[in-house]
Amino acid sequence: MRFRTLSALFLGLAAACACPPEARRLVETPDFSTPEAASRSFLAALGCDDAEAEYRCLADRFKEELGAGFDAWLLARPRLREEAGPALDLAFQAESTGRRDLPPEEGRRRVLLWWGRGETPYVGFVLEEQYWWSLETRDGRRFDDLLAEPPARALSSPGRGRLLLGPLELPVPRWLQPEAVRSLTLGTEWRIRDLLPPPEP
Protein backbone atom coordinates (compact mmCIF):
# COMPACT_ATOMS: atom_id res chain seq x y z
CA MET A 1 0.00 0.00 0.00
CA ARG A 2 1.26 3.47 -0.82
CA PHE A 3 1.06 4.75 2.78
CA ARG A 4 3.12 1.85 4.10
CA THR A 5 5.75 2.56 1.47
CA LEU A 6 5.80 6.24 2.38
CA SER A 7 6.13 5.53 6.08
CA ALA A 8 9.62 4.14 5.66
CA LEU A 9 10.72 7.31 3.95
CA PHE A 10 10.00 9.40 7.02
CA LEU A 11 12.27 7.34 9.28
CA GLY A 12 14.86 9.75 10.61
CA LEU A 13 13.14 12.78 9.11
CA ALA A 14 10.02 13.30 11.23
CA ALA A 15 10.53 15.41 14.32
CA ALA A 16 8.44 15.74 17.45
CA CYS A 17 10.40 18.57 19.04
CA ALA A 18 9.64 22.28 19.17
CA CYS A 19 9.64 24.15 15.89
CA PRO A 20 12.61 26.55 15.57
CA PRO A 21 11.74 30.14 14.56
CA GLU A 22 13.47 29.87 11.17
CA ALA A 23 11.50 26.71 10.37
CA ARG A 24 8.25 28.30 11.55
CA ARG A 25 8.84 31.23 9.19
CA LEU A 26 9.29 28.79 6.30
CA VAL A 27 6.11 26.93 7.28
CA GLU A 28 4.10 30.15 7.36
CA THR A 29 5.65 31.49 4.16
CA PRO A 30 6.82 28.53 2.06
CA ASP A 31 9.18 29.06 -0.84
CA PHE A 32 8.43 27.10 -4.02
CA SER A 33 10.74 29.06 -6.32
CA THR A 34 13.32 26.26 -6.73
CA PRO A 35 13.41 22.49 -6.08
CA GLU A 36 15.77 23.07 -3.13
CA ALA A 37 13.54 25.75 -1.59
CA ALA A 38 10.42 23.62 -2.00
CA SER A 39 12.19 20.67 -0.34
CA ARG A 40 13.27 22.87 2.56
CA SER A 41 9.68 24.07 2.96
CA PHE A 42 8.44 20.48 3.17
CA LEU A 43 11.16 19.48 5.63
CA ALA A 44 10.28 22.48 7.82
CA ALA A 45 6.59 21.53 7.73
CA LEU A 46 7.45 17.94 8.56
CA GLY A 47 9.68 18.92 11.47
CA CYS A 48 7.07 21.36 12.81
CA ASP A 49 4.38 18.66 12.57
CA ASP A 50 2.16 20.89 10.43
CA ALA A 51 -0.10 18.75 8.25
CA GLU A 52 -1.55 21.63 6.23
CA ALA A 53 1.89 23.01 5.44
CA GLU A 54 3.09 19.55 4.39
CA TYR A 55 0.09 19.16 2.11
CA ARG A 56 0.70 22.54 0.47
CA CYS A 57 4.15 21.33 -0.58
CA LEU A 58 2.75 18.39 -2.58
CA ALA A 59 2.24 18.56 -6.32
CA ASP A 60 -1.32 18.38 -7.58
CA ARG A 61 -0.71 14.99 -9.20
CA PHE A 62 0.68 13.62 -5.92
CA LYS A 63 -2.46 14.81 -4.14
CA GLU A 64 -4.60 13.06 -6.75
CA GLU A 65 -2.75 9.79 -6.09
CA LEU A 66 -3.59 10.06 -2.39
CA GLY A 67 -7.18 9.62 -3.51
CA ALA A 68 -9.12 11.90 -1.17
CA GLY A 69 -7.10 15.08 -0.90
CA PHE A 70 -6.16 16.53 2.47
CA ASP A 71 -8.29 13.98 4.36
CA ALA A 72 -6.18 11.15 2.94
CA TRP A 73 -3.00 12.93 4.00
CA LEU A 74 -4.42 13.37 7.53
CA LEU A 75 -5.25 9.67 7.69
CA ALA A 76 -1.77 8.67 6.52
CA ARG A 77 0.27 10.90 8.84
CA PRO A 78 -0.34 9.19 12.24
CA ARG A 79 0.68 5.81 10.83
CA LEU A 80 3.75 7.31 9.20
CA ARG A 81 4.88 8.88 12.47
CA GLU A 82 4.04 5.83 14.58
CA GLU A 83 6.03 3.52 12.34
CA ALA A 84 8.90 6.01 12.31
CA GLY A 85 9.07 5.90 16.12
CA PRO A 86 11.04 8.45 18.15
CA ALA A 87 12.86 9.73 15.08
CA LEU A 88 15.86 12.00 15.29
CA ASP A 89 15.35 15.67 14.64
CA LEU A 90 16.84 15.57 11.16
CA ALA A 91 14.14 17.51 9.40
CA PHE A 92 15.76 20.78 10.47
CA GLN A 93 19.31 19.56 9.88
CA ALA A 94 18.95 17.64 6.61
CA GLU A 95 21.42 18.53 3.89
CA SER A 96 21.15 18.14 0.16
CA THR A 97 23.31 15.13 -0.73
CA GLY A 98 22.70 14.97 -4.48
CA ARG A 99 20.68 16.29 -7.40
CA ARG A 100 19.74 14.79 -10.75
CA ASP A 101 17.62 16.17 -13.59
CA LEU A 102 14.95 13.69 -14.66
CA PRO A 103 13.29 13.39 -18.07
CA PRO A 104 10.29 15.73 -18.36
CA GLU A 105 6.88 14.21 -17.71
CA GLU A 106 3.90 15.62 -19.60
CA GLY A 107 6.09 18.55 -20.57
CA ARG A 108 7.01 19.43 -16.97
CA ARG A 109 10.61 19.63 -15.81
CA ARG A 110 11.47 17.23 -12.98
CA VAL A 111 14.34 17.04 -10.52
CA LEU A 112 15.40 14.37 -8.01
CA LEU A 113 16.96 15.71 -4.79
CA TRP A 114 18.44 13.50 -2.07
CA TRP A 115 18.41 14.73 1.54
CA GLY A 116 20.30 13.36 4.53
CA ARG A 117 23.45 13.97 6.55
CA GLY A 118 26.96 14.20 5.20
CA GLU A 119 27.08 11.88 2.22
CA THR A 120 24.32 9.59 3.52
CA PRO A 121 20.92 10.13 1.85
CA TYR A 122 17.80 9.41 3.90
CA VAL A 123 15.05 10.35 1.48
CA GLY A 124 14.65 11.45 -2.12
CA PHE A 125 12.19 14.07 -3.32
CA VAL A 126 11.03 14.10 -6.92
CA LEU A 127 9.94 17.64 -7.64
CA GLU A 128 8.12 18.92 -10.68
CA GLU A 129 7.14 22.29 -12.09
CA GLN A 130 3.62 23.57 -11.68
CA TYR A 131 2.27 26.62 -13.46
CA TRP A 132 -0.16 29.12 -11.95
CA TRP A 133 -1.98 32.37 -12.53
CA SER A 134 -3.27 34.99 -10.11
CA LEU A 135 -5.69 37.77 -10.98
CA GLU A 136 -6.66 40.74 -8.81
CA THR A 137 -9.64 42.98 -9.51
CA ARG A 138 -9.84 46.72 -8.91
CA ASP A 139 -12.05 46.15 -5.86
CA GLY A 140 -9.43 43.88 -4.25
CA ARG A 141 -10.84 40.44 -5.04
CA ARG A 142 -8.33 37.75 -6.01
CA PHE A 143 -8.70 34.65 -8.17
CA ASP A 144 -5.99 32.05 -8.79
CA ASP A 145 -5.55 28.54 -10.04
CA LEU A 146 -3.10 26.21 -11.75
CA LEU A 147 -2.31 26.38 -15.46
CA ALA A 148 -2.18 23.21 -17.53
CA GLU A 149 0.74 24.48 -19.63
CA PRO A 150 3.81 26.65 -19.03
CA PRO A 151 3.04 30.39 -19.13
CA ALA A 152 5.61 30.78 -21.90
CA ARG A 153 3.29 28.92 -24.29
CA ALA A 154 0.85 31.82 -24.04
CA LEU A 155 3.54 34.37 -24.91
CA SER A 156 4.72 35.39 -28.36
CA SER A 157 6.99 38.13 -29.62
CA PRO A 158 5.79 40.08 -32.69
CA GLY A 159 8.97 42.13 -32.68
CA ARG A 160 11.81 43.36 -30.58
CA GLY A 161 10.73 44.85 -27.29
CA ARG A 162 7.18 43.46 -27.43
CA LEU A 163 5.42 40.43 -25.96
CA LEU A 164 1.86 39.33 -26.67
CA LEU A 165 -0.22 37.25 -24.24
CA GLY A 166 -2.68 34.83 -25.78
CA PRO A 167 -4.53 32.67 -26.33
CA LEU A 168 -4.92 31.89 -22.63
CA GLU A 169 -8.28 30.99 -21.10
CA LEU A 170 -8.67 31.51 -17.35
CA PRO A 171 -11.69 30.16 -15.41
CA VAL A 172 -13.02 33.41 -13.92
CA PRO A 173 -16.59 34.36 -12.87
CA ARG A 174 -18.96 35.30 -15.70
CA TRP A 175 -19.44 38.79 -14.31
CA LEU A 176 -15.74 39.66 -14.51
CA GLN A 177 -15.01 42.07 -17.35
CA PRO A 178 -11.52 42.98 -18.63
CA GLU A 179 -11.81 46.54 -17.34
CA ALA A 180 -12.25 45.17 -13.77
CA VAL A 181 -8.79 43.56 -13.80
CA ARG A 182 -6.05 45.36 -11.89
CA SER A 183 -3.26 42.80 -12.32
CA LEU A 184 -2.58 39.38 -13.83
CA THR A 185 0.43 37.33 -12.74
CA LEU A 186 1.70 34.13 -14.34
CA GLY A 187 4.29 32.00 -12.62
CA THR A 188 6.11 28.72 -12.16
CA GLU A 189 6.66 26.89 -8.89
CA TRP A 190 8.13 23.57 -7.73
CA ARG A 191 6.20 21.01 -5.68
CA ILE A 192 6.93 17.49 -4.42
CA ARG A 193 5.75 14.87 -6.90
CA ASP A 194 7.00 11.74 -5.11
CA LEU A 195 9.08 10.46 -2.21
CA LEU A 196 11.75 7.81 -2.69
CA PRO A 197 13.57 5.53 -0.25
CA PRO A 198 17.34 5.91 0.03
CA PRO A 199 19.35 4.02 -2.58
CA GLU A 200 20.85 0.66 -1.65
CA PRO A 201 24.43 0.94 -0.34
Side-chain angles (χ1 to χ4, degrees):
M1 187 174 179
R2 174 130 185 141
F3 295 150
R4 183 171 298 170
T5 302
L6 290 179
S7 66
L9 306 181
F10 284 82
L11 184 59
L13 287 174
C17 70
C19 184
E22 60 274 17
R24 175 52 57 193
R25 284 193 293 271
L26 198 52
V27 166
E28 293 172 355
T29 311
D31 182 354
F32 303 126
S33 59
T34 67
E36 289 80 8
S39 297
R40 282 274 178 219
S41 296
F42 181 72
L43 288 167
L46 179 66
C48 293
D49 195 16
D50 191 317
E52 289 187 17
E54 293 166 3
Y55 188 72
R56 284 195 300 269
C57 295
L58 305 181
D60 249 30
R61 294 195 294 170
F62 194 174
K63 293 174 182 177
E64 290 172 5
E65 288 179 6
L66 289 174
F70 183 58
D71 290 342
W73 184 248
L74 286 178
L75 291 173
R77 291 179 76 254
R79 189 186 311 176
L80 300 179
R81 292 183 179 276
E82 181 181 348
E83 293 182 9
L88 296 175
D89 180 13
L90 289 184
F92 304 125
Q93 305 165 11
E95 306 164 346
S96 178
T97 62
R99 172 180 171 138
R100 182 162 57 97
D101 291 333
L102 300 175
E105 189 173 273
E106 297 184 8
R108 303 178 189 216
R109 289 188 298 167
R110 298 188 305 149
V111 170
L112 170 60
L113 289 179
W114 292 105
W115 292 87
R117 266 188 176 169
E119 297 183 0
T120 305
Y122 286 94
V123 64
F125 296 155
V126 176
L127 297 107
E128 73 174 10
E129 281 184 314
Q130 288 192 164
Y131 318 112
W132 55 271
W133 61 272
S134 178
L135 183 149
E136 185 178 352
T137 63
R138 296 188 182 279
D139 60 4
R141 283 180 275 194
R142 184 178 296 275
F143 305 91
D144 52 52
D145 204 348
L146 293 175
L147 287 170
E149 297 186 340
R153 293 199 182 163
L155 296 174
S156 60
S157 178
R160 295 187 63 171
R162 296 186 65 208
L163 283 178
L164 294 180
L165 177 63
L168 181 66
E169 292 188 16
L170 306 178
V172 298
R174 290 175 180 261
W175 56 262
L176 184 62
Q177 298 298 315
E179 58 270 17
V181 176
R182 172 183 291 156
S183 66
L184 172 64
T185 306
L186 306 177
T188 299
E189 62 190 12
W190 290 87
R191 301 290 177 110
I192 292 177
R193 174 69 179 91
D194 206 353
L195 307 173
L196 302 179
E200 293 292 331

